[in-house]
């Protein structure tokens, strides 16, 4: 793994002395990225506490993951509201009840209103299954395969009003092999999501990662447009993947 990735060796940074930082996670489905965050919290490596998981889908499996971890699981079905603005207004109230320092989108399949984004500006992160700015929106794996790219991956970014357009904090690359399928590529990208999302969340909760203007800063230094990027080899090493076929 490259030294640049290792949060303990990147600088001599000392976390700010604060109380426990609070996280609210928004989901719509399985919640595998939520589980990655829960696992880090279980081992006291997250830098804060997930105080609530909120879903717009009543039977989202991620809610059960929250309950199993003793985390408040809240259902707020979007179908019960007449429009996006009404729903987002209700969602803001539910979130703010939990007084979060950070809002984490983990497979929350809703386009957020301007009002919502502005309310949590600078303290809301999302993970996207592509190396942004490539392939914003949906069906990223299919698009990457159709274009015949050599590399694909995932990105953690601050949420702004531009869809999948906020400043990137960290990315992880996956090599696209000959004969790659959408399913196999999705699996490898998911593994990298579970690797880098907890890192970005911890950076934020420790006060190391912040949004300033249109830039993401880590330890006070502006990050490049792609954020801190893990190569395929670095990510594969962390994940104990076989590099023999890449």
């Amino acid at each position: 793994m490259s030294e640049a990735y290792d949060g303990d060796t990147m600088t001599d940074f000392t976390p700010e002395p604060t109380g426990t930082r609070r996280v609210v996670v928004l989901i719509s489905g399985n919640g595998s990225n939520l589980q990655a965050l829960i696992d880090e919290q279980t081992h006291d490596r997250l830098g804060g506490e997930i105080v609530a998981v909120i879903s717009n889908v009543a039977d989202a499996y991620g809610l059960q993951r929250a309950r199993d971890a003793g985390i408040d699981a809240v259902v707020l079905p979007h179908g019960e509201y007449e429009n996006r603005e009404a729903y987002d207004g209700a969602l803001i109230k539910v979130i703010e009840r939990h007084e979060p320092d950070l809002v984490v989108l983990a497979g929350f399949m809703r386009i957020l209103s301007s009002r919502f984004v502005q309310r949590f500006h600078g303290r809301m992160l999302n993970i996207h299954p592509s190396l942004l700015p490539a392939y914003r929106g949906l069906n990223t794996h299919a698009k990457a395969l159709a274009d015949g790219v050599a590399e694909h991956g995932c990105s953690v970014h601050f949420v702004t009003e531009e869809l999948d357009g906020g400043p990137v904090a960290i990315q992880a690359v996956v090599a696209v092999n000959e004969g790659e399928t959408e399913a196999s590529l999705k699996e490898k990208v998911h593994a990298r999501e579970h690797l880098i999302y907890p890192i970005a969340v911890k950076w934020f909760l420790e006060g190391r990662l912040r949004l300033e203007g249109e830039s993401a800063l880590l330890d006070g230094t502006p990050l490049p447009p792609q954020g801190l990027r893990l190569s395929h080899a670095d990510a594969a090493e962390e994940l104990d993947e076989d590099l023999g076929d890449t």
Side-chain angles (χ1 to χ4, degrees):
M1 180 177 66
S2 67
E3 183 174 293
Y5 159 71
D6 190 337
D8 292 329
T9 59
M10 186 182 297
T11 68
D12 294 326
F13 177 84
T14 301
E16 298 174 356
T18 63
T20 301
R21 307 298 295 276
R22 298 168 64 84
V23 181
V24 168
V25 182
L26 307 186
I27 64 168
S28 294
N30 180 54
S32 65
N33 273 306
L34 166 65
Q35 188 63 56
L37 297 172
I38 290 173
D39 290 346
E40 290 300 292
Q41 176 176 298
T42 300
H43 293 94
D44 295 322
R45 294 193 298 250
L46 190 63
E49 179 184 2
I50 302 170
V51 295
V53 173
I54 304 170
S55 177
N56 64 311
V57 179
D59 61 353
Y61 182 66
L63 291 168
Q64 188 59 49
R65 295 181 188 272
R67 295 184 190 106
D68 289 345
I71 299 168
D72 191 12
V74 182
V75 178
L76 191 68
H78 62 269
E80 296 182 3
Y81 295 83
E82 61 183 15
N83 54 43
R84 189 181 310 280
E85 287 70 25
Y87 179 78
D88 282 5
L91 183 57
I92 287 170
K93 290 180 181 178
V94 174
I95 291 172
E96 291 191 335
R97 240 178 256 151
H98 296 276
E99 301 181 339
D101 297 285
L102 177 65
V103 176
V104 172
L105 307 183
F108 188 62
M109 304 304 291
R110 297 273 302 169
I111 294 176
L112 300 169
S113 66
S114 174
R115 173 191 178 192
F116 187 93
V117 172
Q118 287 303 318
R119 188 70 165 221
F120 300 106
H121 181 75
R123 52 192 180 110
M124 183 160 52
L125 294 174
N126 182 48
I127 190 154
H128 183 73
S130 78
L131 297 174
L132 292 171
Y135 308 123
R136 298 180 185 181
L138 302 175
N139 304 315
T140 62
H141 311 310
K143 291 173 182 175
L145 290 173
D147 285 347
V149 298
E151 291 186 333
H152 189 42
C154 53
S155 310
V156 179
H157 66 95
F158 281 99
V159 177
T160 64
E161 292 186 51
E162 183 181 1
L163 180 64
D164 300 327
V168 175
I170 185 171
Q171 295 182 332
V173 175
V174 60
V176 181
N177 298 327
E178 185 176 351
E180 196 84 69
T181 66
E182 190 173 343
S184 65
L185 189 55
K186 180 179 180 180
E187 181 179 358
K188 288 191 286 188
V189 170
H190 268 168
R192 281 154 178 75
E193 291 179 9
H194 304 160
L195 174 65
I196 67 172
Y197 215 178
I199 293 170
V201 169
K202 183 178 182 182
W203 283 347
F204 184 93
L205 295 176
E206 289 183 338
R208 299 183 61 186
L209 175 66
R210 61 188 174 91
L211 180 64
E212 185 172 292
E214 297 182 357
S215 297
L217 275 62
L218 182 63
D219 299 332
T221 301
L223 289 165
Q226 73 273 20
L228 191 153
R229 178 177 284 193
L230 274 69
S231 69
H232 174 81
D234 281 346
E237 180 182 354
E238 283 296 299
L239 296 166
D240 294 322
E241 289 180 350
D242 184 3
L243 288 172
D245 60 350
T246 60

